[in-house]
Amino acid sequence: MTAQPATQVVTVEAGAITPGAAAIARAAQTLAAGGLAAFPTETVYGLGGDATNGAAVARLYAAKERPSFNPLIAHVADSAAALALARFDPAAERLAAAFWPGPLTLVLPKRADCPVAELATAGLDTIAVRVPSHPIARAILMAFGRPVVAPSANRSGHVSPTTAQHVLCDLRGRIELIVDGGPTPMGLESTIVACLDRPVLLRPGALARAEIERLVPLTQAPHAAAPPAHADEPPIAPGGLASHYAPRARLRLNARRVEAGEALLAFGPAPAAGAERAAAMLNLSPRGDLIEAAANLFSHLRALDAAGAATIAVMPVPRAGLGEAINDRLERAAAPRS
Ligand code: TXA
Ligand code: MG
């Protein structure tokens, strides 16, 4: 995929929505090639990328200009596919049976063998999963056959798009494809409920709270009352519920040389002084590419942590583009904790 893709818009008529239809097949091919394809869901337009492809997920964050790696929702075709990603407690099973396909997102414990890229879940051990009901979204998910991450298809800080035209305004030249299926029926994002301990409402949305409470009691998230910073953002930071990814090892940031016994998380072509004596070394991007670095960030941190050094020295990563989010996550991982 090129750095500056020409964004193509393909229209799907209501009568022609099948997994084999040309526009649907184009979307599936785009996703399989690591590209980005926006498509309608019953809530808002989503910007789809292959959830199992870390580089595609990194490009997705870059296209949206997200200032940090807010975790993404994995969209799948049916509950059977969702079971391969996450563990369902009885409350989650009831909600899924009642409301999927539909505008409900469940945040669940991620399965150990979940194929979704670490970057998509921002290194958390939970995952947000949704089975959309829109026929175009469903047809794309069935044709593609793997989970698709799809944040709202707007630039960060803008409101969620409900027409293909909105998507084009925000993302022209940044994504490969827009599947135009007309205005989205609901226009409001999915309701997000975490089923980790007891069910907690994380984001009010297109499925009314009362509908959910007919089946399971809901706890309000601690700071869900706080107004969102932008209309686009959920009312709670994901970090408020599940803790941010924290390695066991201490992180030493902006390291220009490696001290005895340290592991090294490198960036770019020039190794840090003393790299040859590092206990273990991985490079986020030997060619200094921030998109590649983002795709590798969480998995490299985990691998170095598992290698057992007490400290991971992290070479400086520039703050341009995705570098801002990479540094944000590194700083959180390096922060002192009890
Ligand atoms: O209706 C929707 O849900 C749309 C359509 C396209 O499906 N998608 C959407 O995605 O609104 P997005 O990325 O704009 O918002 C999803 C929110 C994120 O902001 C994040 O806070 C939350 O879901 N989220 C994702 N994974 C999470 C997790 N593991 N724990 C807590 N919150 C999570
Ligand atoms: Mg959004």
Side-chain angles (χ1 to χ4, degrees), residues 43 46 66 70-71 73 75 126 128 130 150-152 189-190 192 203 234:
T43 59
R66 273 215 167 157
N70 212 358
I73 301 170
H75 295 65
T126 59
R130 164 160 136 73
S152 50
E189 296 90 344
S190 62
I192 305 182
R203 178 176 76 180

Side-chain angles (χ1 to χ4, degrees), residues 41 43-47 64 66 70-73 75 105 107 121 124 126-128 130 150-152 188-190 192 202-203 232-234 236-238 241-242:
T41 78
T43 59
V44 299
Y45 273 77
L47 177 57
K64 275 187 66 86
R66 273 215 167 157
N70 212 358
L72 303 173
I73 301 170
H75 295 65
T105 294
V107 172
T121 53
L124 299 174
T126 59
I127 184 168
R130 164 160 136 73
S152 50
L188 181 65
E189 296 90 344
S190 62
I192 305 182
L202 294 187
R203 178 176 76 180
D232 174 45
E233 298 302 325
I236 8 170
L241 180 83

Side-chain angles (χ1 to χ4, degrees), residues 76-253:
V76 289
D78 52 35
S79 295
L83 282 172
L85 309 182
R87 292 198 309 274
F88 287 67
D89 67 6
E93 278 171 6
R94 283 170 80 178
L95 293 176
F99 300 117
W100 280 353
L104 172 70
T105 294
L106 294 174
V107 172
L108 304 168
K110 188 163 67 168
R111 286 178 58 111
D113 56 354
C114 174
V116 169
E118 292 269 355
L119 182 61
T121 53
L124 299 174
D125 46 22
T126 59
I127 184 168
V129 186
R130 164 160 136 73
V131 179
S133 64
H134 194 290
I136 293 177
R138 286 174 65 74
I140 291 171
L141 291 169
M142 279 192 279
F144 181 54
R146 288 203 290 273
V148 172
V149 281
S152 50
N154 52 278
R155 277 202 232 175
S156 189
H158 295 193
V159 294
S160 294
T162 57
T163 66
Q165 190 58 37
H166 296 161
V167 181
L168 198 58
C169 284
D170 264 24
L171 299 176
R172 185 200 294 269
R174 293 161 177 252
I175 67 177
E176 279 74 26
L177 187 71
I178 300 172
V179 180
D180 185 351
T184 58
M186 290 172 160
L188 181 65
E189 296 90 344
S190 62
T191 301
I192 305 182
V193 174
C195 292
L196 300 174
D197 172 11
R198 53 212 163 130
V200 177
L201 179 67
L202 294 187
R203 178 176 76 180
L207 177 65
R209 178 195 182 94
E211 291 282 308
I212 298 170
E213 287 185 319
R214 291 224 299 260
L215 294 183
V216 301
L218 276 185
T219 309
Q220 188 82 17
H223 28 302
H230 296 293
D232 174 45
E233 298 302 325
I236 8 170
L241 180 83
S243 67
H244 283 287
Y245 171 64
R248 180 197 47 78
R250 199 176 76 84
L251 256 59
R252 191 167 66 79
L253 303 186

